Amino acid sequence: MWLDRTARMLALDRETGGRTKAVVVDLERGGEVSPLLQIAADSDDRLLLADPDSGLLLIGSDAPEPGRAPRLGWGVLGSTLPVRFPECLRLPDCEVTPFAIQPGQVLTPERCAVALRLDGPFGTWVGVWRPAERQVHHLAAPQGWLAGGGTWTADGVLHLPYATPDLPCGLARLPAPAWGEGRDAGTGDAAPDGPAQGRVAERATGLTAVGRTGRAPGRRADPRTGPRTGPGRTGRNRRRRVPPHRARFRSNRRLWHDL
């Protein structure tokens, strides 16, 4: 698949020594080949989707759990940040396949809507997910949907082709859920142990989060007395606490991070 809109950089999966790695072929340099994904030395790292505008990459890799089924992850082309493997993309008894990325989000890859084909015990339906959100939105597919087919418009409308006896060539239009809808509900990546772990996971994924204040939930300033800074201290002089997830990212040199 193409990594740019000038038909120069072509991404391919190459098998070498029993392992599959995604590589880039530069067609303007005589087919020069360079690595694209090197998550772990003994992992299979495949490129599933790429958006030339934002650089958003959807990746399938078994690096988080060697020897098991590949996990679905995401990264940004040219970024030094690790590939992320969100827990919300692991749906029980379902196969998750990305098939379209919203174009036109040049500076905000984490806001790109990604369309997912979901195959499970109850059939096939559509999922919508954004990297900055911690949940998958589930949408009913139109009757006769050509499963796995579809494209996004830049303003976030998903076009799905379908065919029925009454309409052999149809196109359904599904608007993406509004940005931030359910973003703070604590249900996306929440672990079975309770909502506290869900909040920790939410903060850990927000390397480029938008609209964060850094204020702990439930701690509002009293309009009569001001912020709760304690005796002899002010909000300005109070020492800021480094969030645990940022401290971990500073010292963690792994190329992937399991959420």
Side-chain angles (χ1 to χ4, degrees), residues 92-105:
D93 302 323
C94 288
E95 182 178 355
V96 182
T97 307
F99 65 88
I101 300 177
Q102 180 185 1
Q105 314 302 306

Side-chain angles (χ1 to χ4, degrees), residues 141-146 160-172:
Q143 183 180 3
W145 175 43
L146 304 179
L160 300 176
Y162 69 94
T164 64
D166 297 332
L167 188 60
C169 185
L171 187 66

Side-chain angles (χ1 to χ4, degrees), residues 30 47 60 66 70 92 110 144 156 173 187 190 197 201 205 210 247 257:
L47 182 64
E110 72 278 358
R173 295 172 175 84
T187 59
Q197 292 195 18
T205 57
V210 177
H257 180 62

Side-chain angles (χ1 to χ4, degrees), residues 86-92 129-130 132-138 181-192 194-195 197-199 201-202 205 259:
E87 283 293 328
C88 65
L89 296 180
R90 304 180 71 182
L91 301 180
W129 165 81
R130 292 182 178 92
E133 294 181 326
R134 259 59 71 183
Q135 69 173 0
V136 175
H137 301 272
H138 299 266
E181 181 179 331
R183 186 166 179 243
D184 296 323
T187 59
D189 280 353
Q197 292 195 18
R199 291 195 296 270
E202 180 183 7
T205 57
L259 299 179

Side-chain angles (χ1 to χ4, degrees), residues 202-227:
E202 180 183 7
R203 291 195 297 271
T205 57
L207 290 181
T208 53
V210 177
R212 295 295 180 196
T213 63
R215 187 170 56 195
R219 296 292 301 275
R220 296 186 179 181
D222 191 328
R224 297 169 298 178
T225 61

Side-chain angles (χ1 to χ4, degrees), residues 27-219:
L27 300 182
E28 285 192 3
R29 294 189 176 182
E32 179 181 289
V33 179
S34 58
L36 176 62
L37 295 177
Q38 295 283 352
I39 301 179
D42 57 350
S43 63
D44 290 320
D45 310 319
R46 292 178 170 86
L47 182 64
L48 304 179
L49 279 181
D51 176 55
D53 296 332
S54 63
L56 179 63
L57 306 178
L58 273 294
I59 298 157
S61 175
D62 61 354
E65 298 175 336
R68 303 186 64 179
R71 293 271 303 273
L72 182 59
W74 69 279
V76 179
L77 186 64
S79 173
T80 59
L81 297 178
V83 175
R84 325 300 295 280
F85 295 92
E87 283 293 328
C88 65
L89 296 180
R90 304 180 71 182
L91 301 180
D93 302 323
C94 288
E95 182 178 355
V96 182
T97 307
F99 65 88
I101 300 177
Q102 180 185 1
Q105 314 302 306
V106 178
L107 300 178
T108 54
E110 72 278 358
R111 288 198 179 194
C112 290
V114 179
L116 308 170
R117 170 181 171 173
L118 305 176
D119 296 282
F122 302 103
T124 299
W125 65 99
V126 178
V128 176
W129 165 81
R130 292 182 178 92
E133 294 181 326
R134 259 59 71 183
Q135 69 173 0
V136 175
H137 301 272
H138 299 266
L139 307 175
Q143 183 180 3
W145 175 43
L146 304 179
T151 58
W152 285 102
T153 64
D155 56 353
V157 178
L158 181 61
H159 291 181
L160 300 176
Y162 69 94
T164 64
D166 297 332
L167 188 60
C169 185
L171 187 66
R173 295 172 175 84
L174 299 179
W179 159 252
E181 181 179 331
R183 186 166 179 243
D184 296 323
T187 59
D189 280 353
D193 293 338
Q197 292 195 18
R199 291 195 296 270
V200 171
E202 180 183 7
R203 291 195 297 271
T205 57
L207 290 181
T208 53
V210 177
R212 295 295 180 196
T213 63
R215 187 170 56 195
R219 296 292 301 275

